[in-house]
Amino acid sequence: MPDQPSPDVELLRAAYAAFNARDIDAALATMAPDVAWPKAFKGGLARGHQEVRAYWTEIDPHVEPTSFHPEAAGRILVHVHQLVRDMAGNVVADGHVGHRFTIESGLIRAMEVSPLPPPDQGA
């Protein structure tokens, strides 16, 4: 039902809320222990809670989800507006992108950053 968010969407809302509050422990609690997370501003991939925690202490992001789009096989594409600063306060990124999550057994297994589809491709 459209007005009844799925448990996976609620999981992602909780993850974003914790992330934006800089409550890293609460954000990591939404993720599988061996989560794969992109180091979008450094390159490469962080694997597992320890590496994700270390990466998140190198940037100061605020990410607002604007819409959630369920896909096949436990994946959800989230349209987000992100403002990312380095630890000195300089803006590293400010724009709209997609975060594609893979969710398994009620936890985030992986996240990928992806471009958003053109606005004329339905919604």
Side-chain angles (χ1 to χ4, degrees):
M1 305 243 155
D3 23 17
Q4 196 86 9
S6 75
D8 290 348
V9 169
E10 290 304 314
L11 172 75
L12 294 175
R13 287 187 191 281
Y16 280 110
F19 181 73
N20 286 330
R22 302 303 285 158
D23 185 344
I24 294 175
D25 289 330
L28 291 173
T30 66
M31 300 176 191
D34 59 346
V35 65
W37 197 269
K39 294 183 183 181
F41 302 100
K42 296 189 79 175
L45 198 62
R47 291 198 182 275
H49 288 187
Q50 185 175 353
E51 288 184 18
V52 171
R53 177 188 302 277
Y55 172 60
W56 284 352
T57 62
E58 298 172 7
I59 56 173
D60 182 18
H62 185 83
V63 183
E64 285 297 326
T66 58
S67 60
F68 296 82
H69 305 273
E71 299 176 335
R75 292 170 60 116
I76 297 177
L77 176 64
V78 183
H79 294 200
V80 301
H81 174 248
Q82 64 182 13
L83 174 62
V84 181
R85 298 178 187 274
D86 63 20
M87 297 314 286
N90 301 306
V91 174
V92 175
D94 184 1
H96 294 267
V97 298
H99 288 170
R100 179 169 281 114
F101 291 90
T102 301
I103 298 174
E104 294 176 0
S105 303
L107 293 173
I108 298 167
R109 166 71 54 202
M111 192 273 273
E112 306 164 32
V113 177
S114 62
L116 294 175
D120 61 347
Q121 288 189 352

